[in-house]
Amino acid sequence: MNVFQVGKIKVYYDKKLDGGGTTFGQLFVPIIKRLIGKSRTCFEAFSGPAFIGFSLLAHNLCEELVVADINPEAIKYVRITVEENKLRDKVRYYVSDVLDGIPGNEKFDLVVGNPPFFNESTIKIHCSKVQCDQIEILKSYDERFMLHRKFYLNIRKFLNQEANVILIEDLEGSDEKDFINMINEGGLKYMGIIKPEQEDIILASYISIRGLKYDQTHAKSMVRKIAERLPYSVYRMAYSLGLKLHYQPLIDYVNFLQKHYYFIWSKA
């Protein structure tokens, strides 16, 4: 069993269930801080072990958290995280096919999610780069974007007034035009897309490095071992200096995140 720590919360998981929540998924924290601030009730759809939701809770961006995933094994780890961190009064969790298993009395102020990125026309590109076993397909493939459609057509009834819905997507798998009609048909207002800025990437990478320092399954370079011990102010300065000095691994990482990921934002 692996551990990803955010603030005082230790998130327990199996590595095969990590669909990017420990890395690019942490971009939610700076982006939610910048755009929205604190919400009362946050919901993480397609949650897996709920790295994103627990991170929002740890960073005081929501008062209570609800998570749901179709995979019972992922929710098993959510249950362990809740019990080990004594979060039963703040976190509720459901095994749910998209929203089918969510009780009708649940209402959310912020919905986030890291859904499968690829449909039948783009999954082949993804599988040419990574080994697409059964677990990877479950995390990555959304046939005809039907999971997205089901989500957008049904999420409105769970939203409080002026609630925000933000999903992360991959530009290799889709663009905003794939989802705007779904958003409108679901009775939501399309607000636009958000691309990660440099400051977002610096904070997200810091959260990721700090979070994974307890996970011994990840190979660590000397730079990473030093970075995970730095306070954020020093890390941010070092990161910015590295970019100015054209330290190629940092440049490649920033370019990768900005080239691949975007957030699609809608409101109730």
Side-chain angles (χ1 to χ4, degrees), residues 218-255:
H218 289 258
K220 298 181 181 180
S221 66
M222 184 60 67
V223 171
R224 188 182 187 98
K225 288 179 180 178
I226 294 171
E228 68 187 20
R229 291 173 171 83
L230 296 176
Y232 180 63
S233 59
V234 177
Y235 177 86
R236 181 179 177 279
M237 187 183 305
Y239 202 110
S240 299
L241 180 62
L243 291 174
K244 288 180 181 178
L245 295 176
H246 303 288
Y247 180 54
Q248 198 59 45
L250 284 184
I251 293 171
D252 291 344
Y253 184 66
V254 170
N255 288 341

Short mmCIF file of all heavy atoms in Angstrom, two decimals, residues 218-255:
data_model
loop_
_atom_site.label_atom_id
_atom_site.label_comp_id
_atom_site.label_asym_id
_atom_site.label_seq_id
_atom_site.Cartn_x
_atom_site.Cartn_y
_atom_site.Cartn_z
N HIS A 218 8.50 5.14 -5.74
CA HIS A 218 8.93 6.07 -6.78
C HIS A 218 10.44 6.29 -6.71
O HIS A 218 10.98 6.63 -5.66
CB HIS A 218 8.22 7.42 -6.62
CG HIS A 218 6.77 7.36 -6.99
ND1 HIS A 218 6.28 7.82 -8.18
CD2 HIS A 218 5.70 6.87 -6.31
CE1 HIS A 218 4.98 7.63 -8.23
NE2 HIS A 218 4.61 7.06 -7.11
N ALA A 219 11.12 6.06 -7.83
CA ALA A 219 12.55 6.33 -7.89
C ALA A 219 12.78 7.83 -7.73
O ALA A 219 12.06 8.64 -8.30
CB ALA A 219 13.12 5.84 -9.22
N LYS A 220 13.81 8.18 -6.96
CA LYS A 220 14.03 9.59 -6.65
C LYS A 220 15.46 10.00 -7.02
O LYS A 220 16.42 9.38 -6.60
CB LYS A 220 13.79 9.86 -5.17
CG LYS A 220 12.38 9.58 -4.71
CD LYS A 220 12.20 9.89 -3.24
CE LYS A 220 10.78 9.59 -2.80
NZ LYS A 220 10.58 9.88 -1.36
N SER A 221 15.56 11.07 -7.79
CA SER A 221 16.85 11.65 -8.10
C SER A 221 17.32 12.47 -6.90
O SER A 221 16.56 12.78 -5.99
CB SER A 221 16.74 12.55 -9.33
OG SER A 221 15.93 13.68 -9.03
N MET A 222 18.60 12.85 -6.92
CA MET A 222 19.13 13.69 -5.86
C MET A 222 18.41 15.04 -5.83
O MET A 222 18.11 15.57 -4.76
CB MET A 222 20.63 13.91 -6.06
CG MET A 222 21.29 14.72 -4.93
SD MET A 222 21.10 13.93 -3.30
CE MET A 222 22.11 12.47 -3.54
N VAL A 223 18.10 15.59 -7.02
CA VAL A 223 17.38 16.86 -7.09
C VAL A 223 16.02 16.73 -6.41
O VAL A 223 15.61 17.61 -5.65
CB VAL A 223 17.21 17.31 -8.56
CG1 VAL A 223 16.27 18.50 -8.65
CG2 VAL A 223 18.56 17.65 -9.18
N ARG A 224 15.35 15.64 -6.66
CA ARG A 224 14.02 15.43 -6.06
C ARG A 224 14.13 15.29 -4.54
O ARG A 224 13.32 15.84 -3.79
CB ARG A 224 13.36 14.20 -6.66
CG ARG A 224 11.91 14.04 -6.21
CD ARG A 224 11.28 12.79 -6.77
NE ARG A 224 9.85 12.77 -6.46
CZ ARG A 224 8.90 13.14 -7.27
NH1 ARG A 224 9.21 13.57 -8.49
NH2 ARG A 224 7.64 13.10 -6.91
N LYS A 225 15.14 14.57 -4.07
CA LYS A 225 15.31 14.38 -2.63
C LYS A 225 15.55 15.72 -1.93
O LYS A 225 15.07 15.95 -0.82
CB LYS A 225 16.47 13.42 -2.37
CG LYS A 225 16.16 11.98 -2.72
CD LYS A 225 17.35 11.08 -2.46
CE LYS A 225 17.04 9.64 -2.81
NZ LYS A 225 18.21 8.75 -2.60
N ILE A 226 16.31 16.59 -2.59
CA ILE A 226 16.55 17.93 -2.02
C ILE A 226 15.27 18.76 -2.07
O ILE A 226 14.89 19.41 -1.10
CB ILE A 226 17.69 18.64 -2.77
CG1 ILE A 226 19.01 17.91 -2.54
CG2 ILE A 226 17.81 20.10 -2.33
CD1 ILE A 226 20.15 18.41 -3.42
N ALA A 227 14.59 18.71 -3.22
CA ALA A 227 13.40 19.53 -3.43
C ALA A 227 12.30 19.22 -2.43
O ALA A 227 11.59 20.12 -1.96
CB ALA A 227 12.89 19.35 -4.85
N GLU A 228 12.14 17.94 -2.07
CA GLU A 228 11.04 17.57 -1.18
C GLU A 228 11.24 18.05 0.25
O GLU A 228 10.32 18.00 1.07
CB GLU A 228 10.79 16.06 -1.21
CG GLU A 228 11.90 15.24 -0.60
CD GLU A 228 11.70 13.74 -0.80
OE1 GLU A 228 10.94 13.36 -1.71
OE2 GLU A 228 12.30 12.96 -0.05
N ARG A 229 12.44 18.53 0.56
CA ARG A 229 12.72 19.03 1.90
C ARG A 229 12.63 20.56 2.00
O ARG A 229 12.72 21.12 3.09
CB ARG A 229 14.11 18.58 2.35
CG ARG A 229 14.22 17.07 2.59
CD ARG A 229 15.66 16.66 2.87
NE ARG A 229 15.74 15.27 3.31
CZ ARG A 229 15.75 14.23 2.48
NH1 ARG A 229 15.69 14.45 1.17
NH2 ARG A 229 15.83 13.00 2.94
N LEU A 230 12.49 21.22 0.87
CA LEU A 230 12.52 22.68 0.86
C LEU A 230 11.17 23.27 1.27
O LEU A 230 10.13 22.74 0.90
CB LEU A 230 12.87 23.20 -0.54
CG LEU A 230 14.26 22.85 -1.09
CD1 LEU A 230 14.37 23.36 -2.53
CD2 LEU A 230 15.35 23.45 -0.23
N PRO A 231 11.15 24.39 1.99
CA PRO A 231 9.91 25.14 2.16
C PRO A 231 9.47 25.71 0.82
O PRO A 231 10.31 25.93 -0.08
CB PRO A 231 10.28 26.23 3.16
CG PRO A 231 11.75 26.39 3.02
CD PRO A 231 12.29 25.04 2.66
N TYR A 232 8.18 26.01 0.69
CA TYR A 232 7.66 26.41 -0.61
C TYR A 232 8.31 27.67 -1.15
O TYR A 232 8.59 27.76 -2.35
CB TYR A 232 6.14 26.60 -0.57
CG TYR A 232 5.59 27.01 -1.91
CD1 TYR A 232 5.70 26.16 -3.01
CD2 TYR A 232 5.01 28.27 -2.11
CE1 TYR A 232 5.22 26.52 -4.26
CE2 TYR A 232 4.54 28.64 -3.35
CZ TYR A 232 4.64 27.77 -4.42
OH TYR A 232 4.19 28.14 -5.66
N SER A 233 8.58 28.65 -0.31
CA SER A 233 9.18 29.90 -0.79
C SER A 233 10.53 29.66 -1.45
O SER A 233 10.85 30.25 -2.49
CB SER A 233 9.32 30.89 0.37
OG SER A 233 10.13 30.35 1.40
N VAL A 234 11.32 28.77 -0.86
CA VAL A 234 12.64 28.45 -1.42
C VAL A 234 12.49 27.61 -2.68
O VAL A 234 13.18 27.83 -3.68
CB VAL A 234 13.52 27.72 -0.37
CG1 VAL A 234 14.86 27.32 -0.98
CG2 VAL A 234 13.73 28.60 0.85
N TYR A 235 11.54 26.64 -2.64
CA TYR A 235 11.30 25.80 -3.81
C TYR A 235 10.85 26.65 -5.00
O TYR A 235 11.35 26.47 -6.12
CB TYR A 235 10.21 24.78 -3.47
CG TYR A 235 9.81 23.90 -4.64
CD1 TYR A 235 10.52 22.74 -4.92
CD2 TYR A 235 8.73 24.24 -5.45
CE1 TYR A 235 10.14 21.92 -5.99
CE2 TYR A 235 8.36 23.44 -6.51
CZ TYR A 235 9.07 22.28 -6.77
OH TYR A 235 8.71 21.49 -7.84
N ARG A 236 9.95 27.59 -4.76
CA ARG A 236 9.45 28.45 -5.83
C ARG A 236 10.57 29.27 -6.44
O ARG A 236 10.68 29.42 -7.66
CB ARG A 236 8.36 29.37 -5.29
CG ARG A 236 7.74 30.30 -6.31
CD ARG A 236 6.66 31.14 -5.65
NE ARG A 236 6.08 32.08 -6.60
CZ ARG A 236 6.64 33.24 -6.92
NH1 ARG A 236 7.81 33.59 -6.37
NH2 ARG A 236 6.06 34.04 -7.79
N MET A 237 11.45 29.80 -5.57
CA MET A 237 12.58 30.59 -6.06
C MET A 237 13.53 29.73 -6.89
O MET A 237 13.99 30.14 -7.96
CB MET A 237 13.33 31.19 -4.86
CG MET A 237 14.42 32.17 -5.23
SD MET A 237 15.29 32.77 -3.76
CE MET A 237 13.92 33.40 -2.79
N ALA A 238 13.79 28.52 -6.40
CA ALA A 238 14.69 27.61 -7.12
C ALA A 238 14.10 27.19 -8.45
O ALA A 238 14.80 27.10 -9.46
CB ALA A 238 14.99 26.40 -6.25
N TYR A 239 12.79 26.94 -8.47
CA TYR A 239 12.10 26.54 -9.70
C TYR A 239 12.18 27.66 -10.73
O TYR A 239 12.53 27.42 -11.90
CB TYR A 239 10.64 26.23 -9.37
CG TYR A 239 9.92 25.34 -10.36
CD1 TYR A 239 9.57 24.04 -10.00
CD2 TYR A 239 9.57 25.78 -11.62
CE1 TYR A 239 8.89 23.22 -10.88
CE2 TYR A 239 8.89 24.97 -12.51
CZ TYR A 239 8.55 23.69 -12.14
OH TYR A 239 7.88 22.88 -13.01
N SER A 240 11.88 28.87 -10.30
CA SER A 240 11.93 30.02 -11.21
C SER A 240 13.35 30.25 -11.73
O SER A 240 13.55 30.56 -12.91
CB SER A 240 11.41 31.28 -10.50
OG SER A 240 10.08 31.11 -10.09
N LEU A 241 14.33 30.09 -10.84
CA LEU A 241 15.72 30.26 -11.24
C LEU A 241 16.11 29.19 -12.26
O LEU A 241 16.79 29.48 -13.25
CB LEU A 241 16.64 30.18 -10.02
CG LEU A 241 18.14 30.34 -10.28
CD1 LEU A 241 18.45 31.72 -10.88
CD2 LEU A 241 18.93 30.15 -8.98
N GLY A 242 15.66 27.96 -12.03
CA GLY A 242 15.96 26.88 -12.96
C GLY A 242 15.42 27.14 -14.35
O GLY A 242 16.08 26.87 -15.36
N LEU A 243 14.22 27.73 -14.42
CA LEU A 243 13.65 28.07 -15.72
C LEU A 243 14.45 29.19 -16.39
O LEU A 243 14.70 29.15 -17.60
CB LEU A 243 12.19 28.48 -15.56
CG LEU A 243 11.21 27.36 -15.17
CD1 LEU A 243 9.83 27.94 -14.90
CD2 LEU A 243 11.14 26.30 -16.26
N LYS A 244 14.86 30.18 -15.61
CA LYS A 244 15.64 31.29 -16.17
C LYS A 244 17.00 30.81 -16.67
O LYS A 244 17.54 31.35 -17.64
CB LYS A 244 15.83 32.38 -15.11
CG LYS A 244 14.57 33.17 -14.82
CD LYS A 244 14.82 34.23 -13.76
CE LYS A 244 13.54 35.00 -13.46
NZ LYS A 244 13.74 36.01 -12.39
N LEU A 245 17.54 29.80 -16.00
CA LEU A 245 18.85 29.25 -16.40
C LEU A 245 18.70 28.15 -17.45
O LEU A 245 19.67 27.48 -17.79
CB LEU A 245 19.59 28.71 -15.17
CG LEU A 245 19.99 29.75 -14.12
CD1 LEU A 245 20.63 29.07 -12.91
CD2 LEU A 245 20.95 30.79 -14.72
N HIS A 246 17.47 27.95 -17.91
CA HIS A 246 17.18 26.97 -18.97
C HIS A 246 17.56 25.55 -18.57
O HIS A 246 18.14 24.79 -19.34
CB HIS A 246 17.90 27.36 -20.27
CG HIS A 246 17.55 28.73 -20.75
ND1 HIS A 246 16.33 29.03 -21.30
CD2 HIS A 246 18.25 29.91 -20.73
CE1 HIS A 246 16.28 30.31 -21.61
NE2 HIS A 246 17.42 30.87 -21.28
N TYR A 247 17.19 25.18 -17.33
CA TYR A 247 17.37 23.81 -16.88
C TYR A 247 16.34 22.94 -17.61
O TYR A 247 15.14 23.03 -17.38
CB TYR A 247 17.19 23.72 -15.36
CG TYR A 247 17.35 22.35 -14.78
CD1 TYR A 247 18.51 21.59 -15.02
CD2 TYR A 247 16.36 21.79 -13.99
CE1 TYR A 247 18.66 20.33 -14.48
CE2 TYR A 247 16.50 20.52 -13.44
CZ TYR A 247 17.65 19.80 -13.69
OH TYR A 247 17.80 18.54 -13.16
N GLN A 248 16.82 22.12 -18.52
CA GLN A 248 15.95 21.47 -19.49
C GLN A 248 14.87 20.58 -18.89
O GLN A 248 13.73 20.61 -19.37
CB GLN A 248 16.78 20.66 -20.50
CG GLN A 248 16.02 20.32 -21.77
CD GLN A 248 15.54 21.56 -22.52
OE1 GLN A 248 16.29 22.51 -22.70
NE2 GLN A 248 14.28 21.56 -22.94
N PRO A 249 15.15 19.79 -17.84
CA PRO A 249 14.05 18.97 -17.28
C PRO A 249 12.86 19.81 -16.80
O PRO A 249 11.71 19.40 -16.97
CB PRO A 249 14.73 18.24 -16.11
CG PRO A 249 16.16 18.14 -16.52
CD PRO A 249 16.45 19.44 -17.23
N LEU A 250 13.13 20.97 -16.22
CA LEU A 250 12.04 21.84 -15.78
C LEU A 250 11.28 22.40 -16.97
O LEU A 250 10.04 22.45 -16.98
CB LEU A 250 12.57 22.98 -14.93
CG LEU A 250 12.97 22.67 -13.49
CD1 LEU A 250 13.37 23.95 -12.77
CD2 LEU A 250 11.85 21.98 -12.74
N ILE A 251 12.02 22.84 -17.97
CA ILE A 251 11.38 23.39 -19.18
C ILE A 251 10.51 22.32 -19.84
O ILE A 251 9.37 22.60 -20.24
CB ILE A 251 12.45 23.90 -20.16
CG1 ILE A 251 13.17 25.12 -19.56
CG2 ILE A 251 11.84 24.25 -21.51
CD1 ILE A 251 14.37 25.57 -20.34
N ASP A 252 11.02 21.10 -19.93
CA ASP A 252 10.26 20.01 -20.54
C ASP A 252 8.98 19.72 -19.75
O ASP A 252 7.92 19.47 -20.33
CB ASP A 252 11.11 18.74 -20.62
CG ASP A 252 12.24 18.86 -21.62
OD1 ASP A 252 12.20 19.78 -22.46
OD2 ASP A 252 13.18 18.03 -21.56
N TYR A 253 9.08 19.77 -18.42
CA TYR A 253 7.93 19.47 -17.57
C TYR A 253 6.85 20.53 -17.73
O TYR A 253 5.68 20.21 -17.90
CB TYR A 253 8.38 19.38 -16.11
CG TYR A 253 7.27 18.99 -15.15
CD1 TYR A 253 6.69 17.74 -15.22
CD2 TYR A 253 6.84 19.88 -14.17
CE1 TYR A 253 5.68 17.38 -14.34
CE2 TYR A 253 5.83 19.53 -13.29
CZ TYR A 253 5.26 18.27 -13.38
OH TYR A 253 4.26 17.92 -12.51
N VAL A 254 7.24 21.80 -17.70
CA VAL A 254 6.28 22.89 -17.88
C VAL A 254 5.64 22.81 -19.26
O VAL A 254 4.41 22.92 -19.40
CB VAL A 254 6.96 24.26 -17.68
CG1 VAL A 254 6.03 25.40 -18.10
CG2 VAL A 254 7.39 24.44 -16.24
N ASN A 255 6.45 22.58 -20.28
CA ASN A 255 5.92 22.47 -21.64
C ASN A 255 4.95 21.30 -21.78
O ASN A 255 3.92 21.41 -22.46
CB ASN A 255 7.06 22.32 -22.65
CG ASN A 255 7.84 23.61 -22.84
OD1 ASN A 255 7.36 24.69 -22.51
ND2 ASN A 255 9.05 23.50 -23.36
#
